[in-house]
Amino acid sequence: MLLPFAEKAFIDDLKLTGYCLSETHITGKHKARVFKATLGITAADYLILKEAIITAVLLNDAIYSGRNQQGDLYTVDFMMAHKTKRTNVRTAWICLFGESFPRLVSCYVKE
């Protein structure tokens, strides 16, 4: 099963640049370090990661993770390649109640 409304998936650029790929964010810096070490991707390369995620949700199955007070939660895992490197990436999504599109919550290298 694909992510519900995958074709409308929303990825806030700041989620990537200010969190997942930020080397200074209090919790994101750990994700950023691993993205840099495994794929050579930094915040300057966020569009490469964004494109990979957008493509991945259209091609890979989503796993329903449950529900919280805000909406339904999903994960989508995929293999990402950049230059000569490859690794597994996990993306986390929420479909907020009352909305008809998923929002990226987080992404990280899944080892």
Side-chain angles (χ1 to χ4, degrees):
M1 163 187 99
L2 290 180
L3 182 66
F5 308 105
E7 69 284 355
K8 297 183 197 177
F10 175 72
I11 301 172
D12 185 343
D13 291 349
L14 191 56
K15 181 65 75 172
L16 299 178
T17 60
Y19 175 54
C20 299
L21 296 174
S22 171
E23 294 182 34
T24 59
H25 189 279
I26 190 78
T27 56
K29 65 183 175 187
H30 306 293
K31 298 171 199 253
R33 180 182 49 79
V34 179
F35 270 112
K36 187 175 183 179
T38 59
L39 291 170
I41 291 178
T42 66
D45 306 306
Y46 81 95
L47 288 174
I48 294 167
L49 179 58
K50 185 175 183 176
E51 258 324 292
I53 294 170
I54 289 169
T55 301
V57 299
L58 296 172
L59 300 175
N60 295 278
D61 285 337
I63 299 170
Y64 179 70
S65 305
R67 175 176 278 192
N68 67 18
Q69 62 273 26
Q70 296 175 319
D72 292 315
L73 307 170
Y74 298 87
T75 58
V76 177
D77 294 343
F78 67 100
M79 178 62 67
M80 183 171 174
H82 179 64
K83 297 184 180 176
T84 61
K85 300 178 178 185
R86 295 169 48 94
T87 194
N88 288 305
V89 174
R90 172 162 284 176
T91 58
W93 300 86
I94 188 165
C95 291
L96 295 172
F97 297 131
E99 292 186 346
S100 59
F101 63 93
R103 296 173 180 266
L104 181 73
V105 174
S106 186
C107 70
Y108 55 90
V109 171
K110 182 183 173 205
E111 299 186 57

